[in-house]
Amino acid sequence: MPVILEAQDLSLAWHDDDLIVDGLNLEVREGELVCLVGKSGMGKTTILHALAGLLAPRAGQVLLRGEDITGKPGHISYMLQKDLLLPNLRVVDNAALPLVLAGTAKSEAHDQALALLEHLGLASVANAWPAQLSGGMRQRVAFARTYLQGNSIVLLDEPFSALDAITRVDLRTWFKEMVAELGLSTLMITHDPDEAVLLADRIYVLGKNETPGVYSKIVGEITPQHLGEADDYSLTPEFLEAKSAILSRL
């Protein structure tokens, strides 16, 4: 599979000039769902900011299909941890917002958003207000809005972390199906090893860097062996082996 998104030797720093990572390399291939897993405070969100062009690295490059997009926002769709739906807009208008901001006529943006909401199983709440939705429904709408940013590569910042356990399981299944159906290439960060193994085609593990002055680094790359879509996958030796490989590196 061709590489869609690539980080080459990125060096990122916090405000006090201490390096978060130095020489970071990772890639997302076409159609892949990749997870970057690590403990809280390891710099995962900062890495996403750099990949999205919201933060200029001290060194290194971000390449999108071979084109240098380092420090250039707008090339990659980015879904933040919180849904950030605007409370004064109905669901369909929240979903259509990226199209309207890009200059699409409001009626056309509305039609595109309605079509996507129907495809995602959200047609029944298209005219609802965000306050009327559950947490899981709000995240689905946020995903629709992210998709309508119009990019085939998507970054997600712990999209399920604020949900209750049952909703999180249901939404993970829905999300994996939608990513495959829409043909997206995806990089998602999480601090949950179970989530990474259940969802990802490949996993990068972000751990502590022993080099003075550099906080974290990628300490492992794992390819889970998925056995179809069985509900009991999390009880299999293959699942436990991949999870153990993550935990041993954190």
Side-chain angles (χ1 to χ4, degrees):
M1 294 183 291
V3 174
I4 301 296
L5 178 67
E6 187 174 7
Q8 293 185 342
D9 298 322
L10 285 188
S11 294
L12 305 172
W14 276 305
H15 295 300
D16 58 4
D17 289 334
D18 285 341
L19 289 176
I20 305 165
V21 293
D22 187 31
L24 175 78
N25 291 281
L26 59 79
E27 64 182 29
V28 179
R29 301 164 194 154
E30 185 174 6
E32 267 194 321
L33 199 168
V34 177
C35 278
L36 177 63
V37 61
K39 296 179 180 179
S40 297
M42 297 300 293
K44 300 187 299 297
T45 297
T46 304
I47 292 170
L48 282 199
H49 285 174
L51 295 174
L54 304 177
L55 172 69
R58 291 294 179 88
Q61 290 182 306
V62 178
L63 303 178
L64 180 64
R65 297 183 180 87
E67 177 186 352
D68 187 354
I69 61 165
T70 310
K72 301 174 184 177
H75 294 274
I76 297 175
S77 298
Y78 189 3
M79 180 175 165
L80 302 176
Q81 186 173 352
K82 296 182 179 180
D83 61 73
L84 299 179
L85 300 182
L86 298 179
N88 60 323
L89 294 182
R90 295 186 186 273
V91 163
V92 64
D93 295 307
N94 266 287
L97 191 58
L99 298 172
V100 173
L101 293 176
T104 303
K106 188 173 181 179
S107 59
E108 182 181 344
H110 199 269
D111 289 344
Q112 289 187 42
L114 276 176
L116 179 62
L117 290 172
E118 183 174 2
H119 184 74
L120 299 181
L122 296 167
S124 63
V125 299
N127 290 311
W129 300 102
Q132 296 174 301
L133 305 184
S134 67
M137 295 295 285
R138 291 174 66 99
Q139 286 298 90
R140 294 185 191 205
V141 175
F143 177 76
R145 182 184 59 194
T146 302
Y147 177 74
L148 287 173
Q149 291 175 27
N151 303 302
S152 61
I153 176 79
V154 176
L155 306 178
L156 301 108
D157 186 352
E158 302 197 49
F160 314 122
S161 61
L163 303 174
D164 65 84
I166 295 175
T167 302
R168 189 160 59 244
V169 169
D170 290 342
L171 196 57
R172 282 174 184 163
T173 302
W174 177 88
F175 167 74
K176 188 169 185 178
E177 291 173 352
M178 289 300 102
V179 165
E181 191 172 322
L182 296 171
L184 299 176
S185 304
T186 310
L187 175 63
M188 186 182 87
I189 63 173
T190 179
H191 60 263
D192 184 347
D194 287 41
E195 185 168 270
V197 177
L198 286 168
L199 291 176
D201 298 307
R202 284 190 304 115
I203 300 166
Y204 289 107
V205 183
L206 192 67
K208 185 70 175 176
N209 194 338
E210 301 303 324
T211 302
V214 183
Y215 189 72
S216 59
K217 67 176 181 179
I218 291 177
V219 294
E221 180 180 340
I222 297 163
T223 302
Q225 182 182 350
H226 292 291
L227 302 177
E229 301 298 330
D231 292 337
D232 60 354
Y233 171 58
S234 61
L235 302 177
T236 64
E238 291 79 9
F239 175 90
L240 296 174
E241 180 181 355
K243 179 178 178 179
S244 177
I246 294 172
L247 292 174
S248 68
R249 290 166 169 80
L250 290 176

